[in-house]
Amino acid sequence: VVGQAPAGMSGDGALQLAAEDLHEALQDPLLGALGFLNEVMARYPDAISFAPGAPNPALLDELDVAAQLDRCVAHFARSRGLSARAARRMLFEYAPSRGLINDLLAEALRRDEGIDVPSDAIVVTVGAQEAMLLVVRALCRAPDDMLAVVSPCFVGIAGAARLLDVPVIAIDEGEHGVEVAAVEAACRRARAGGKRIRALYVAPDFSNPSGTVLGLDARRRLLELARREHLVLIEDCTYGFTAAPDAELPSLKALDATGHVVMLGTFAKLCLPGARVGFVVADQVVADGGGTRRLLADELATLKSVVTVNTSPIGQAVVGGMLLEAGCSLAALGRMRSRTYRHRLASLLDALDRHLLPGAAAVGVSWNRPAGGFFVRMRLPVPVDAALLERSASQFGVLWAPMSSFHVGGGGHDELRLSCSYLEPAEIEEGVGRLSRFLHATIRREDAHRDAPTGR
Amino acid sequence: VVGQAPAGMSGDGALQLAAEDLHEALQDPLLGALGFLNEVMARYPDAISFAPGAPNPALLDELDVAAQLDRCVAHFARSRGLSARAARRMLFEYAPSRGLINDLLAEALRRDEGIDVPSDAIVVTVGAQEAMLLVVRALCRAPDDMLAVVSPCFVGIAGAARLLDVPVIAIDEGEHGVEVAAVEAACRRARAGGKRIRALYVAPDFSNPSGTVLGLDARRRLLELARREHLVLIEDCTYGFTAAPDAELPSLKALDATGHVVMLGTFAKLCLPGARVGFVVADQVVADGGGTRRLLADELATLKSVVTVNTSPIGQAVVGGMLLEAGCSLAALGRMRSRTYRHRLASLLDALDRHLLPGAAAVGVSWNRPAGGFFVRMRLPVPVDAALLERSASQFGVLWAPMSSFHVGGGGHDELRLSCSYLEPAEIEEGVGRLSRFLHATIRREDAHRDAPTGR
């Protein structure tokens, strides 16, 4: 197959690129599914979309970038003994790969969770996504090292591993998140096959996409297993801030006494996607045989120097200013917004109850009731695929995400994900109304098909 | 070897990480050398440093971030028909992986170089570094696909390949940059060994570290070779803007009629390192067998979605505002600063002449005289290694970069790189004075050693 030459280019001798001659990651079905979802959203801009797991845009309107930059620059000057001009230049110059606001993050971790790490054990990354890439790259020496993920899970972790040619194995989660016995069995199976599960990616708090929360006892047992199996737990804390104040659980990192947890976080959901700032806490000591004390964070910073060099100092300073404004507490920064998200989630669950609950169980429609996070997981009695999404968008003006897009090992073919974060209550109400009409039409039609006599 | 447990952590059952059990990229000598250089600079903060290839900080002092954001937001509103609030929200929300200022970049490429690509053939990246990672990943399916680099070269390209486990072969450059015959020979050798050189990384304008410029005829011959060998040329345009207006040469991309060039650029050297914004131009059509017209840029954007998701919209809008201010011309934006760099380079060359020229040749000290870029390459009659750098810093208060740090295939052990970009003329003068005293002392001492009777 020969590519069509772009406009203005002679076909003669043109470079020919075939999809199958590019890297395998590009043939990944999960990345393809994500692309399809974005493409459908672009084609139906007027649909109400429960698809994007993005922060509520109304929460961003108040942001004064210049004021936050000034606040962080003043901190740079104070904490480093710099002149105002030298501190301001820090925004505009190259910065250390490790980051500029590491001290603020270390202080926040201490204050919020009693996690006591030196600031140089933190690397500031371009969102949690880059942190995932760096951690998987550092820990996994392909091909015998594998990354385990809880399935369904955030697509970005599997995508990063795919890009790095690191094998991924999926561990199906239960109703309350990852099941420790399943992880143990997977480790055993890997060992029997001459492989090693080097790390497990887990989001214990209102995970994306399923909204599950790992209980305190399960967290402790998972840490014990990590110790027995020499397993690194890559803990993604993205949605922890949405918990009600009386329902917060300690992070795996806070419970970890033996250095088995590498913690990832991001400011994207907490306060500002547009800064593209996340971080990784990696205070594990790396023995190099020469007596030099290096931290895993040092190694991650070295890798980062050939991925993005450093995270934009401007982006770091905007969220640094917001963190300072919140008294150097990620929890306080989160609390300013988490009430909105719990309110949206309650609106969504309430609308689902009113529009769908009567009769839902009878036709095989059900959903979970998370107490936090952005997402509700819904099961349908019909296949949830691209065709169904297309019909929902074109005929009913409502969008959602097929859960199969989040299943690394296959699965989720009768489920969808509804996100409440991006919509206003009135949109949620109208959207659930449309969803209800869509489901009534679809399931009745499927029933009709099922009941109709067929040739088979 | 067992790692020392971090403070507050019981040694019992602690996770043990050994350097050799982490990914091979971390053992890369080039990345190690870079780390050493940064570490020496940190230890001698008062030394005059010719090491950093960073833009002059005084050129950054005038920047008004809020004004540039406003300018770009007004463009978003105008060009997309958005309300002021909706346009402003673009700064703070997630953005498409492909980028937000692609239209401005496409316009600039058309205006500056007559390069006519649709804006969706451009991906905005976190500096040119991320662009390198994405391009190498898309094009190279390890282990038979290799990346060729001109050696010495920018460390970031070799580092990105190393992180991706893509084999790198070094092609030594001549006095006027890469030699086409050497590339051809390398392609032949690779083929004979059952491998394929998939792409060649080349910086034709004042390359880092050697300052060479590839002549117009060599550019044309390199393009012909690329066609014959089905080779992608990864063209790094970072330093092109420093050319004197009457000495500008067309980029490989501008000369390319057959889609063999993928062009990388960055705003980091041009105007603002702190934004961390670069771009890649990849208008090659990828045939997928299904009749869908996709561009290489689409594939790069997909890969980017699992590296950094998207480039910070705030960062994009700051440089977008600067680009708009310069009449949507990268060349005009560059011209506002290139005179400063040519002046710094002239100061450096003049100081070298005055302090070193008398007698330099006699003792085997020489340097090149580039007409642009940030760098001068100097040859010494003694080994240029970490010990020499340490002595230069500690005893003479002057820093530079050993050229061996930029040689992928080994080499450069008698050379160093001097960068003029970061220093003011008075610092250059003082720094060259120190360098002169250092060289006089060092070379005399080495001579003394050489002349002294030894037991051998």
Side-chain angles (χ1 to χ4, degrees):
Chain A
V1 182
V2 177
Q4 187 200 330
M9 199 174 103
S10 130
D12 260 353
L15 180 72
Q16 290 171 25
L17 288 179
E20 63 271 21
D21 199 28
L22 299 178
H23 188 254
E24 293 87 343
L26 291 163
Q27 276 82 55
D28 190 288
L30 291 186
L31 294 186
L34 211 65
F36 173 75
L37 189 57
N38 287 330
E39 184 263 315
V40 175
M41 283 198 286
R43 268 194 292 124
Y44 299 101
D46 297 328
I48 289 180
S49 181
F50 291 103
N56 194 284
L59 293 174
L60 307 170
D61 285 339
E62 298 302 304
L63 179 62
D64 181 340
V65 172
Q68 299 299 358
L69 291 180
D70 287 347
R71 194 189 315 275
C72 198
V73 166
H75 170 75
F76 289 158
R78 214 166 39 233
S79 61
R80 289 163 164 89
L82 297 175
S83 70
R85 192 172 77 162
R88 186 149 200 92
R89 280 183 176 177
M90 288 175 66
L91 299 181
F92 303 140
E93 297 201 61
Y94 284 107
S97 289
R98 194 190 304 273
L100 289 176
I101 57 169
N102 311 50
D103 58 335
L104 300 178
L105 287 164
E107 173 64 24
L109 290 170
R110 221 170 355 254
R111 190 166 295 195
D112 293 338
E113 296 220 63
I115 295 173
D116 192 17
V117 296
S119 55
D120 68 358
I122 298 170
V123 180
V124 183
T125 52
V126 180
Q129 183 61 47
E130 190 194 20
M132 290 178 199
L133 186 86
L134 299 176
V135 173
V136 172
R137 176 67 311 172
L139 293 177
C140 295
R141 291 168 69 103
D144 284 346
D145 285 347
M146 300 194 296
L147 172 72
V149 301
V150 178
S151 184
C153 78
F154 175 61
V155 177
I157 183 73
R162 195 87 171 88
L163 181 144
L164 296 169
D165 295 325
V166 169
V168 175
I169 69 156
I171 299 176
D172 288 339
E173 73 171 351
E175 205 181 329
H176 303 290
V178 63
E179 290 172 342
V180 178
V183 180
E184 188 159 24
C187 289
R188 224 173 14 235
R189 272 198 309 279
R191 221 173 12 249
K195 309 272 188 187
R196 168 173 72 155
I197 298 183
R198 183 74 151 136
L200 169 73
Y201 169 83
V202 56
D205 302 298
F206 311 112
S207 69
N208 174 10
S210 60
T212 55
V213 174
L214 196 63
L216 182 58
D217 184 55
R219 290 176 197 226
R220 293 209 168 103
R221 285 185 295 113
L222 188 58
L223 280 164
E224 277 163 32
L225 177 69
R227 281 196 285 271
R228 281 202 304 279
E229 293 286 349
H230 310 291
L231 186 68
V232 176
L233 302 177
I234 303 174
E235 178 183 31
D236 184 340
C237 294
T238 299
Y239 297 97
F241 79 97
T242 62
D246 58 353
E248 286 168 9
L249 290 174
S251 64
L252 290 166
K253 183 71 190 165
L255 295 169
D256 175 29
T258 50
H260 284 78
V261 179
V262 170
M263 182 191 224
L264 315 178
T266 176
F267 287 89
K269 314 289 175 178
L270 191 69
C271 62
L272 184 56
R276 299 302 303 131
V277 178
F279 58 91
V280 48
V281 183
D283 58 333
Q284 287 77 10
V285 172
V286 176
D288 76 346
T292 321
R293 187 180 183 274
R294 281 175 68 84
L295 298 177
L296 181 56
D298 294 307
E299 309 289 4
L300 299 177
T302 298
L303 290 174
K304 180 175 168 68
S305 73
V306 294
V307 176
T308 59
V309 183
N310 61 262
T311 304
S312 164
I314 297 174
Q316 291 189 65
V318 176
V319 298
M322 296 173 90
L323 191 51
L324 284 161
E325 189 178 21
C328 224
S329 160
L330 290 161
L333 189 56
R335 269 195 296 276
M336 297 160 73
R337 289 147 183 92
S338 64
R339 195 174 309 179
T340 300
Y341 291 119
R342 284 197 304 281
H343 182 248
R344 295 294 182 281
L345 186 58
S347 301
L348 174 58
L349 289 168
D350 175 65
L352 290 172
D353 281 354
R354 281 183 288 102
H355 287 276
L356 287 173
L357 199 53
V363 296
V365 172
S366 61
W367 57 90
N368 66 349
R369 309 188 66 82
F374 288 3
F375 310 109
V376 169
R377 173 182 194 166
M378 176 174 278
R379 177 161 291 154
L380 301 189
V382 297
V384 178
D385 54 15
L388 196 73
L389 178 59
E390 186 77 44
R391 197 194 311 158
S392 179
S394 65
Q395 295 177 27
F396 297 88
V398 61
L399 281 163
W400 34 264
M403 195 61 89
S404 58
S405 319
F406 304 97
H407 277 265
V408 173
H413 294 293
D414 59 352
E415 291 185 338
L416 55 82
R417 187 193 76 174
L418 299 172
S419 172
C420 67
S421 59
Y422 199 76
L423 301 173
E424 294 306 309
E427 295 173 305
I428 289 174
E429 181 65 25
E430 169 64 22
V432 171
R434 294 182 188 186
L435 185 70
S436 169
R437 291 189 286 280
F438 160 67
L439 290 177
H440 276 101
T442 300
I443 292 170
R444 230 183 288 136
R445 198 164 75 168
E446 294 286 331
D447 284 350
H449 281 192
R450 199 183 301 149
D451 297 344
T454 68
R456 284 174 291 171
Chain B
V1 182
V2 176
Q4 186 200 330
M9 201 174 100
S10 130
D12 260 352
L15 180 71
Q16 289 171 24
L17 289 179
E20 62 271 22
D21 199 28
L22 299 178
H23 187 257
E24 292 88 342
L26 291 163
Q27 276 82 55
D28 190 288
L30 291 186
L31 295 187
L34 211 64
F36 173 74
L37 189 57
N38 287 329
E39 184 262 316
V40 175
M41 283 197 288
R43 268 193 293 123
Y44 299 100
D46 296 328
I48 290 181
S49 181
F50 291 102
N56 194 285
L59 293 173
L60 307 169
D61 285 339
E62 298 302 302
L63 179 63
D64 181 341
V65 172
Q68 299 299 357
L69 291 178
D70 287 347
R71 193 190 317 274
C72 198
V73 165
H75 169 76
F76 289 158
R78 215 165 39 232
S79 60
R80 289 163 164 89
L82 298 174
S83 70
R85 191 171 76 162
R88 187 150 197 88
R89 280 184 177 178
M90 288 175 66
L91 298 182
F92 303 141
E93 297 200 62
Y94 283 108
S97 290
R98 194 190 305 273
L100 290 176
I101 57 168
N102 311 52
D103 58 335
L104 299 178
L105 287 164
E107 173 63 22
L109 291 170
R110 222 172 353 256
R111 191 164 295 195
D112 293 338
E113 295 220 63
I115 295 172
D116 192 17
V117 297
S119 55
D120 67 357
I122 298 170
V123 179
V124 183
T125 52
V126 181
Q129 184 61 47
E130 191 194 19
M132 290 176 200
L133 187 85
L134 300 176
V135 173
V136 172
R137 177 67 310 171
L139 293 177
C140 294
R141 292 168 68 103
D144 283 347
D145 285 347
M146 300 193 297
L147 173 72
V149 301
V150 178
S151 186
C153 77
F154 175 62
V155 177
I157 183 73
R162 195 87 172 88
L163 182 144
L164 297 169
D165 295 326
V166 169
V168 176
I169 68 156
I171 299 176
D172 288 339
E173 73 172 351
E175 208 182 326
H176 303 290
V178 63
E179 290 172 342
V180 178
V183 180
E184 188 159 25
C187 289
R188 225 175 12 236
R189 271 197 309 277
R191 221 173 12 249
K195 309 272 188 185
R196 170 174 71 158
I197 297 183
R198 183 72 152 137
L200 169 72
Y201 168 84
V202 55
D205 302 298
F206 310 112
S207 69
N208 175 10
S210 60
T212 55
V213 174
L214 196 63
L216 183 58
D217 183 56
R219 290 176 197 226
R220 293 211 168 101
R221 285 185 294 114
L222 188 59
L223 280 163
E224 277 162 33
L225 177 70
R227 280 195 285 273
R228 281 201 306 278
E229 293 286 349
H230 310 292
L231 186 68
V232 176
L233 302 178
I234 303 174
E235 178 183 31
D236 184 340
C237 294
T238 299
Y239 297 96
F241 79 96
T242 61
D246 58 354
E248 286 168 8
L249 289 173
S251 65
L252 290 166
K253 183 72 191 164
L255 296 170
D256 174 29
T258 51
H260 284 77
V261 178
V262 171
M263 181 191 224
L264 315 178
T266 177
F267 287 88
K269 313 290 175 177
L270 192 68
C271 62
L272 184 57
R276 297 303 304 130
V277 178
F279 59 89
V280 47
V281 184
D283 59 333
Q284 287 77 11
V285 172
V286 176
D288 75 346
T292 321
R293 186 180 183 276
R294 282 175 68 83
L295 298 177
L296 181 57
D298 295 307
E299 309 288 5
L300 299 178
T302 298
L303 290 175
K304 180 176 168 67
S305 73
V306 293
V307 177
T308 59
V309 183
N310 61 262
T311 304
S312 164
I314 297 173
Q316 290 188 66
V318 176
V319 298
M322 296 173 91
L323 191 51
L324 284 161
E325 190 179 21
C328 224
S329 160
L330 290 161
L333 189 55
R335 270 195 295 275
M336 298 159 74
R337 290 151 183 88
S338 65
R339 194 172 311 178
T340 300
Y341 291 118
R342 284 196 305 281
H343 181 248
R344 294 293 182 283
L345 186 58
S347 300
L348 175 57
L349 290 168
D350 175 63
L352 289 173
D353 282 353
R354 281 184 287 104
H355 287 275
L356 287 174
L357 200 53
V363 297
V365 172
S366 61
W367 57 91
N368 66 350
R369 310 187 65 82
F374 287 4
F375 309 109
V376 169
R377 175 182 192 165
M378 176 173 280
R379 177 160 291 152
L380 302 189
V382 297
V384 178
D385 54 16
L388 196 72
L389 178 60
E390 186 77 42
R391 198 193 311 157
S392 178
S394 65
Q395 295 177 26
F396 297 88
V398 62
L399 282 162
W400 34 263
M403 195 62 89
S404 58
S405 320
F406 304 96
H407 277 266
V408 173
H413 294 294
D414 60 352
E415 291 184 337
L416 55 84
R417 187 193 77 174
L418 299 173
S419 172
C420 67
S421 58
Y422 199 77
L423 301 173
E424 294 305 311
E427 296 172 305
I428 290 175
E429 180 63 25
E430 168 65 22
V432 172
R434 294 182 187 185
L435 185 69
S436 169
R437 290 190 286 280
F438 160 66
L439 290 177
H440 277 100
T442 300
I443 292 170
R444 229 182 289 137
R445 197 163 76 169
E446 293 287 332
D447 284 348
H449 282 192
R450 201 183 299 150
D451 297 342
T454 69
R456 286 174 284 171

